[in-house]
Amino acid sequence: MDYEPMPEDWTRALAVVAHPDDLEYGGAAAVARWTASGKDVRYLLVTRGEAGIDTLPPAECGPLREAEQRAAAAAVGVEVVEFLDHPDGLITYGVPLRRDIAAAIRRHRPELVVTGNFRETWPGDVGMNMADHMATGRAVVDAVRDAANRWLFTDAGEPWSGVRWVAVAASPRNSHAVDVGAHFDRGVASLAAHRAYLDALGGDMADPEGFLRPMAEADGARLPGATLATAFELITV
């Protein structure tokens, strides 16, 4: 089944994911297209990725991965990058996480909220997702509702009911896509900015071009008129 084009009648987006590198594994090229067209996209990271490199203790790894994430964001035109400092690898779905994300939504007032896959598996219903991704994505969807309810988290800013969609990257329920043919290289550069992480990771996922292109080609084959695309599950609020 073909993908539908992602809506583009919006001006501000907030992307909320668990770790540095989560947005870059597929979503960054879409962000590059959006910022190139004048849209305001901002990033919120639930952790600093401090437990993500086996050879580096968290006190060293966290600041390094934060710096790499800021460079990755800059590569696709994102200037605002914030971190919540929840523990990498131990993110817990619950009211504290929902509150933190709802406060950010109220502060940034997006029309589109982007997050990562929170389903149990990846596209093609293969592989098992990890707890941090599932907890974060679920909390994002709930925090969108929370942010609109003036009686919840009354100390966390004025209510914001302007979110129109939640776009879930790399979901097994992908339904929409963005043509990224003119912006794919910037998406690759964004992932490549995570140099220390990729060097420690090794394997196929450590090759930005080699990993991202087949996915973009597969998504492009399902979006009429596109060659390279980034797909999302689109949830209408």
Side-chain angles (χ1 to χ4, degrees), residues 36-174:
S37 69
K39 298 184 186 303
D40 180 348
V41 183
R42 305 173 185 190
Y43 285 1
L44 179 71
L45 285 295
V46 172
T47 78
R48 295 178 191 268
E50 67 275 8
I53 299 179
D54 185 64
T55 55
L56 282 180
E60 295 178 35
C61 186
L64 173 61
R65 297 203 68 201
E66 176 185 342
E68 290 189 339
Q69 180 60 69
R70 293 187 186 281
V76 292
V78 174
E79 297 179 359
V80 177
V81 183
E82 298 178 350
F83 296 83
L84 289 179
D85 282 325
H86 285 253
D88 183 17
L90 299 173
I91 298 173
T92 302
Y93 173 87
V95 171
L97 180 58
R98 284 167 49 191
R99 182 198 180 280
D100 287 349
I101 297 171
I105 290 169
R106 289 174 175 177
R107 185 167 62 252
H108 294 290
R109 304 171 76 82
E111 297 152 85
L112 173 68
V113 172
V114 178
T115 192
N117 179 29
F118 58 88
R119 307 296 180 184
E120 291 187 354
T121 59
W122 297 97
D125 286 323
V126 298
M128 292 299 296
N129 203 350
M130 68 172 295
D132 278 3
H133 298 154
M134 292 188 286
T136 297
R138 286 181 56 211
V140 167
V141 173
D142 290 336
V144 167
R145 300 187 189 96
D146 298 337
N149 189 332
R150 70 175 59 257
W151 307 119
L152 298 179
F153 309 132
T154 55
D155 61 343
E158 291 297 313
W160 174 247
S161 58
V163 178
R164 299 163 63 192
W165 308 277
V166 177
V168 185
S171 169
R173 301 187 188 181
N174 284 337

